Amino acid sequence: QVQLVESGGGLVQAGGSLRLSCAASGSILNINAMGWYRQAPGKQRELVATITSGGSTNYADSVKGRFTISRDNAKNTVYLQMNSLKPEDTAVYYCNAGRTYRGTYSPTYYWGQGTQVTVSS
């Protein structure tokens, strides 16, 4: 089983920064990528960023140039550095273990518990 634990959320002012962490443990069999999703109340869960085992990254248009996904293999952890935060970034952020094929990320049933990010005007 894969366990994912997010941390790093909080309350910040617009223009501020946060770094989210997702610590993974357990078997990573058949998993070649990690993704960050976010979901605001009443909204669909949105794919924010992905990173493959080879280090390739992809971002939603809404966060390009502001967010950076990275990984630390030694710590078995992925990060989401969020800069220039906007109120519309407010959501619960979840990490997921999955697979990427032809540029499309497929989530698995391995989800973290979520961490709240709130950006005030």
Side-chain angles (χ1 to χ4, degrees):
Q1 284 281 353
V2 174
Q3 296 277 358
L4 305 174
V5 179
E6 300 105 328
S7 62
L11 173 63
V12 298
Q13 292 182 316
S17 298
L18 286 172
R19 188 180 74 158
L20 307 183
S21 300
C22 176
S25 62
S27 176
I28 57 171
L29 187 65
N30 296 321
I31 294 173
N32 70 357
M34 298 289 293
W36 284 98
Y37 287 76
R38 66 185 181 187
Q39 187 168 24
K43 301 290 186 179
Q44 293 274 164
R45 187 168 295 188
E46 173 190 21
L47 181 60
V48 175
T50 62
I51 186 166
T52 70
S53 59
S56 297
T57 59
N58 202 1
Y59 299 91
D61 289 341
S62 59
V63 306
K64 285 181 179 177
R66 300 188 297 119
F67 291 11
T68 302
I69 187 170
S70 61
R71 65 183 187 184
D72 185 335
N73 290 333
K75 295 182 177 181
N76 214 20
T77 300
V78 297
Y79 304 94
L80 186 67
Q81 178 67 46
M82 305 185 296
N83 298 325
S84 301
L85 283 162
K86 304 174 181 180
E88 50 262 45
D89 295 318
T90 296
V92 177
Y93 284 70
Y94 301 89
C95 68
N96 171 263
R99 297 188 61 83
T100 297
Y101 179 68
R102 293 184 175 180
T104 300
Y105 182 81
S106 299
T108 70
Y109 40 84
Y110 302 119
W111 293 91
Q113 82 286 356
T115 186
Q116 177 72 49
V117 172
T118 303
V119 184
S120 62
S121 300

